[in-house]
Amino acid sequence: MLGCDPEFQPQSPNPNPVRIHIMKIASRVSTLIPCVSVAVMLAVPLAATAQAFPSKPIRIVVPAAPGGGTDILARLLNPELAKQFGQPIVIENRAGGATMIGTEYVARSAPDGHTLVIATTPHAINPTLYQKVPFDPVKDFTMISQLGLTTTVLVVHPSLPVKNVKEFIALAKSKPGQLTAGTAAGNSAYLAVEMLKTMAKIDALNIPYKGAGQALSDLVAGHIQFQVNTLLAAKPFIEAGRLRAIGVCSATRSAALPGVQAIGETLAGFNTSGWYALLGPANIPRETTLRIHDGFAKALRTPEISSRLAQQGVEVLAGTPDELAKVMPLEIKKWGAVVKSSGATPG
């Protein structure tokens, strides 16, 4: 056909060289046009795919029971995240297995960015604390963002006659084995109690709960005497007088609770503060990962949310995916050393 064969030349008894040259150029251009059209058609679906996220509601898995710090954080972010992504945000609690049940669920989900998990320190603790973990804490996940650092606090039921860490240690030593704590199994609060027992040389029962929220409810009800929990979860009960804060689980005092001493002031080297990190299944496309990070970072940095989190002892980070990819292996190493030095067991 004319225009499809680049070798076509018009037949003439007296060919004009200029005319022949022009015809060859025209035929080559007409041949390239379909090729360009095909390339454009192929590029359109690729661009559409990259821009399709999110195409449905985003599920955020909280691998703990309702009422704990992670659950509170997820629900606080929910309305702003819905605005950022233009899709409903579904908060799903999948508690159990020291956060491993919910986390494994996300690891096995489709890597399209629509199923995420807010991981906490157990993600770094479990590989050492437990003999068997059903996933690789780094390789099976897309690192999206270290959302923030959290303040944890030692709280007691108001019926316990202690006002500070020294009085608490003295009471525990006078009643060996009689004081009972309750913390979420395998998290930094559980390890904090185990470290407290080891460093203060006290004998107390530390009951591993399915979630921090359940343990908190039992402490408020007086079924247990003390625990370590996030300030984000415990502060409303402290302010209401239903719990008494006697020590912040860090080397220095917290601006969110300035009147309460740091446990490190009494027990040198004591520091078990935790963090929140956003993860997805491995192999989420880079463009989608960055889009998710951007949405969460904007939500965390809104004045209302960042101010409220600061008041509850959470320092907003909104770190990048690359930063979290560097931090996570270091956290696993750090908490592994804490597990070994504390002598903690799953319970």
Side-chain angles (χ1 to χ4, degrees):
M1 290 179 61
L2 180 63
C4 291
D5 182 3
E7 300 303 321
F8 171 80
Q9 297 183 22
Q11 301 300 314
S12 171
N14 296 301
N16 185 323
V18 175
R19 186 170 184 271
I20 291 174
H21 182 66
I22 293 174
M23 290 298 292
K24 283 185 176 181
I25 293 174
S27 67
R28 289 192 180 110
V29 171
S30 63
T31 302
L32 287 173
I33 288 174
C35 299
V36 173
S37 299
V38 170
V40 171
M41 291 173 66
L42 289 173
V44 169
L46 293 176
T49 299
Q51 298 172 359
F53 179 85
S55 59
K56 58 184 178 181
I58 297 173
R59 176 182 297 155
I60 299 176
V61 173
V62 173
T70 312
D71 184 67
I72 293 171
L73 175 63
R75 296 182 191 282
L76 176 62
L77 290 172
N78 190 332
E80 186 61 33
L81 289 175
K83 294 179 184 177
Q84 293 294 332
F85 293 115
Q87 288 283 355
I89 306 297
V90 179
I91 308 299
E92 185 174 329
N93 295 86
R94 286 180 173 260
T99 74
M100 288 187 283
I101 290 176
T103 307
E104 182 184 14
Y105 172 80
V106 173
R108 309 300 177 222
S109 298
D112 59 7
H114 291 93
T115 304
L116 310 169
V117 62
I118 297 181
T120 51
T121 44
H123 194 79
I125 293 169
N126 289 338
T128 305
L129 186 62
Y130 291 89
Q131 292 185 350
K132 186 177 181 180
V133 175
F135 48 76
D136 185 294
V138 175
K139 295 179 181 178
D140 287 339
F141 298 90
T142 296
M143 301 290 148
I144 301 173
S145 178
Q146 187 173 17
L147 303 176
L149 303 177
T150 178
T151 299
T152 50
V153 59
L154 174 62
V155 287
V156 300
H157 189 269
S159 63
L160 210 63
V162 296
K163 299 291 178 62
N164 55 52
V165 176
K166 287 184 179 179
E167 291 180 0
F168 174 80
I169 292 173
L171 179 64
K173 286 185 174 180
S174 71
K175 296 183 176 182
Q178 295 183 45
L179 297 185
T180 302
T183 50
N187 71 1
S188 61
Y190 179 82
L191 280 186
V193 172
E194 292 301 307
M195 285 185 67
L196 178 63
K197 289 165 57 178
T198 300
M199 295 177 71
K201 296 180 174 59
I202 60 175
D203 179 15
L205 179 63
N206 186 11
I207 301 173
Y209 277 70
K210 193 175 183 180
Q214 295 173 331
L216 183 61
S217 295
D218 272 5
L219 178 60
V220 171
H223 301 314
I224 55 178
Q225 286 79 50
F226 73 102
Q227 72 174 204
V228 169
N229 210 322
T230 62
L231 186 56
L232 180 62
K235 194 172 183 182
F237 298 98
I238 295 170
E239 293 176 337
R242 301 179 70 184
L243 294 179
R244 181 183 302 127
I246 62 171
V248 177
C249 300
S250 59
T252 58
R253 301 191 183 200
S254 169
L257 213 60
V260 178
Q261 70 173 139
I263 297 177
E265 295 177 38
T266 302
L267 300 173
F270 191 98
N271 188 347
T272 59
S273 296
W275 41 259
Y276 299 109
L278 185 68
L279 312 178
N283 301 317
I284 293 177
R286 179 69 174 178
E287 295 81 1
T288 301
T289 299
L290 294 176
R291 173 72 179 91
I292 297 169
H293 167 264
D294 182 65
F296 271 80
K298 288 178 178 177
L300 284 165
R301 289 170 178 155
T302 56
E304 181 180 354
I305 290 178
S306 60
S307 174
R308 183 171 173 185
L309 288 175
Q311 292 170 7
Q312 305 299 325
V314 177
E315 178 187 349
V316 170
L317 294 181
T320 67
D322 291 342
E323 288 171 340
L324 181 56
K326 293 177 181 178
V327 166
M328 188 61 75
L330 298 177
E331 285 293 305
I332 293 171
K333 182 178 180 180
K334 181 189 85 172
W335 284 103
V338 172
V339 171
K340 293 174 182 177
S341 65
S342 68
T345 59

